[in-house]
Amino acid sequence: MPRPWRDLVAAGLALGLALLPSAALADQPGTGDPDPSAQGASGPRAVDDAVLRWGLNDESNNRAFAPGTINFLSAGKVPDPGRGGTIMPASGWSARTGDVAVEKWDGSAYRPATWAGLRTDATGAAIGGGRFSGHQLVFSGGEGTIDAATGDATISWDGDASVVYYSGMAFFYLSDPELVVEDGVGQVTAELGGFASSMEDLTAWGPVAPERVVVADLGRVDLGSAQEEAGGFTATPAYDGVQVTGVPQVRPYGSFPQSFVDFQRTTGTAAYWYSSGGSADPYKKASPMTVSWAGADVTPPPTPGPAPLDPIENPVVQPPRPSATTPTTSSAGRRSGAAAPGAPAANLAPPADAARAAARGELVQTRPVSTLLPLPPTASERSRDALWWWLAAALTGLAALVVTGSSVAASRTSRPSPEAAPRRG
C-alpha cells in the first residue's frame, strides 16, 4: 500500500479510538444531560391552587351570652353598622366572596354554608350547651413555593373574611393569610382589622387600624416528599400552655399568639382568645388548620368537642291542693273558680319547663311559688272569723259597762251629806 494511503488509514483509526470512550459513556444511564423534570422534583416547586381551611375555635361557632345572639363566620368584610350594639341582618352576611368561602360540616362532608345553618349543629339541633355550628373559613387560590426536601414553604392567599361575635355587636376582619414554613416549623400570619367595641358600653364604636399579626403557631408540619405532586397537612395551632401578658389570664394557661391577643384588646373581645376563667374557656382552644395543594384532599372531619350538656331539671314539690275550688272575683266582678295553691300563673312558666327552655337557649320568666298572692278565705273561714268578731265586741261592751258603773258608785260615796254640812250663825 502506498505510503499516503497508509497515513490516511492510520489517522482514521486513531480518530475512531479517540471517539469510542465518549460514545460508550453517552450510552450509560445517568451520564447524559440531566432530565429537566427530575431536576425540578428535588428543588422548590411552585403552587398556585393551595387551599387553607380554618374554623378558628369552637367559641366562634357558638351561641353568644347576649340573649338571642350567636358567634359566626362570614366571607368578605361585613358592613360597618356605624354604631355599637347593632345586630347584623342576614343581608350583611355572605357565604362566598371572591376566593373566600364559609363551609359547614353536615356529618359527612363540608358543604356551602347558609344563614339558617349558623344557628344549628350538623344534626340540626340549636347550638349552645356544647353544640357548635361547625363552620370553617376556606381560602382558595393560594400561591407560593414548597421545598419538601428542605422543609421550607411560603404560600399566600388573597381575600377577606369576618369573625362576628354577638351577632354583630363585635367583629373583626381577617385578610390575606400567609403560611411560612422554615425547617419544618410552620406559622400563619394575617392582617386583622375592624372596629373597637365594649361589652360595658354598647354605644362605643370606632375603626381600628389594620395590623399584621400571628394568628397560628403550627409547630412542626409535614410537607410530604419531593416526588409527590399533590400534598398537604393538618396541624393544630398552639394554645394549651401558652402564656400571654397584658391581660388577666388564669390557670390552666392557654391562649392564641401574643400579637393576636394584643390586637383583640382594641376590639373589646380579647377575653375570648385566652384562658380568662369564664365558662367558655373550654371552647376557646384553637381548632385544627388544614393546608393543601394540587387538588389533594387532606381535610379531616371536625374534632369532637365536649359532650353537650343535658338540661338540668330539679324536682318541683308543689304544696297540697284544696279539695274544693275556691271562688274568686274576676275582672268583671263575677265569682269564678281560682287555681289551686302552687299552680303557676298563666303568663309564667313552671320551673321544670323553664329549665328545659333555658337549655334550648330561650328566655322564660319564672316566679317562685312563694310570691303568689294568698287565696281568699273560704265561707266557713269567714263565718268563724265573724263569730270571733262578735264575741270580742260583746266582751268589749261588757267591760265598758263595768268600768262605767264603778265610776258612778265611787262618785256617790265621796259626796258629803246634808247633816254633816257646817251651819251658819
Side-chain angles (χ1 to χ4, degrees), residues 204-296:
W205 194 256
V208 174
E211 181 180 351
R212 181 159 285 273
V213 305
V214 178
V215 298
D217 285 314
L218 302 180
R220 299 204 65 82
V221 299
D222 184 7
L223 298 178
S225 66
Q227 287 72 35
E228 292 176 339
E229 180 66 23
F233 62 85
T234 296
T236 300
Y239 183 91
D240 290 335
V242 176
Q243 292 182 245
V244 291
T245 60
V247 292
Q249 190 179 20
V250 302
R251 296 178 183 272
Y253 292 128
S255 179
F256 275 64
Q258 179 74 62
S259 59
F260 185 95
V261 173
D262 289 342
F263 176 84
Q264 298 301 341
R265 292 173 62 188
T266 65
T267 67
T269 60
Y272 289 96
W273 308 102
Y274 67 87
S275 55
S276 62
S279 60
D281 274 8
Y283 311 145
K284 300 175 185 177
K285 297 182 179 182
S287 299
M289 176 184 291
T290 298
V291 177
S292 60
W293 52 87

Side-chain angles (χ1 to χ4, degrees), residues 16-409:
L17 291 174
L19 295 176
L20 183 60
S22 299
L25 290 175
D27 292 337
Q28 296 299 319
T31 59
D33 293 335
D35 183 359
S37 61
Q39 185 179 25
S42 61
R45 67 173 180 273
V47 295
D48 60 4
D49 57 355
V51 177
L52 183 150
R53 290 178 168 272
W54 195 30
L56 279 80
N57 58 13
D58 285 337
E59 184 61 19
S60 298
N61 291 274
N62 197 12
R63 185 179 64 199
F65 284 95
T69 64
I70 59 173
N71 306 329
F72 57 88
L73 308 174
S74 176
K77 291 185 175 182
V78 299
D80 174 13
R83 65 182 187 276
T86 303
I87 300 296
M88 194 184 79
S91 59
W93 178 81
S94 177
R96 174 176 289 277
T97 301
D99 287 333
V100 181
V102 180
E103 295 185 358
K104 177 186 177 76
W105 180 257
D106 69 354
S108 60
Y110 280 97
R111 311 290 184 188
T114 64
W115 174 256
L118 299 178
R119 293 182 173 272
T120 62
D121 67 2
T123 67
I127 59 175
R131 293 184 174 89
F132 312 103
S133 62
H135 288 85
Q136 287 186 340
L137 294 174
V138 183
F139 288 80
S140 303
E143 299 180 350
T145 59
I146 299 173
D147 191 337
T150 63
D152 298 334
T154 300
I155 304 176
S156 300
W157 290 266
D158 183 16
D160 304 307
S162 299
V163 182
V164 183
Y165 272 52
Y166 291 94
S167 292
M169 294 184 188
F171 61 81
F172 66 92
Y173 303 133
L174 192 155
S175 304
D176 305 334
E178 181 181 53
L179 166 70
V180 175
V181 182
E182 294 181 352
D183 295 328
V185 178
Q187 184 182 80
V188 177
T189 62
E191 182 179 271
L192 302 188
F195 298 87
S197 62
S198 172
M199 287 183 284
E200 289 75 25
D201 180 9
L202 295 182
T203 63
W205 194 256
V208 174
E211 181 180 351
R212 181 159 285 273
V213 305
V214 178
V215 298
D217 285 314
L218 302 180
R220 299 204 65 82
V221 299
D222 184 7
L223 298 178
S225 66
Q227 287 72 35
E228 292 176 339
E229 180 66 23
F233 62 85
T234 296
T236 300
Y239 183 91
D240 290 335
V242 176
Q243 292 182 245
V244 291
T245 60
V247 292
Q249 190 179 20
V250 302
R251 296 178 183 272
Y253 292 128
S255 179
F256 275 64
Q258 179 74 62
S259 59
F260 185 95
V261 173
D262 289 342
F263 176 84
Q264 298 301 341
R265 292 173 62 188
T266 65
T267 67
T269 60
Y272 289 96
W273 308 102
Y274 67 87
S275 55
S276 62
S279 60
D281 274 8
Y283 311 145
K284 300 175 185 177
K285 297 182 179 182
S287 299
M289 176 184 291
T290 298
V291 177
S292 60
W293 52 87
D297 184 9
V298 296
T299 306
T303 303
L309 301 178
D310 294 329
I312 300 175
E313 296 187 16
N314 294 321
V316 179
V317 179
Q318 300 288 356
R321 300 175 182 271
S323 57
T325 301
T326 303
T328 61
T329 303
S330 66
S331 59
R334 296 185 299 271
R335 309 293 288 182
S336 61
N347 62 335
L348 299 178
D353 292 343
R356 286 189 289 269
R360 296 192 299 269
E362 302 172 2
L363 293 180
V364 180
Q365 182 187 6
T366 61
R367 183 179 296 171
V369 174
S370 61
T371 64
L372 295 175
L373 295 176
L375 292 172
T378 62
S380 59
E381 291 172 338
R382 287 197 300 271
S383 299
R384 184 174 62 253
D385 292 343
L387 176 60
W388 281 110
W389 275 109
W390 279 109
L391 289 176
L395 291 174
T396 301
L398 180 60
L401 291 174
V402 171
V403 172
T404 302
S406 299
S407 299
V408 172

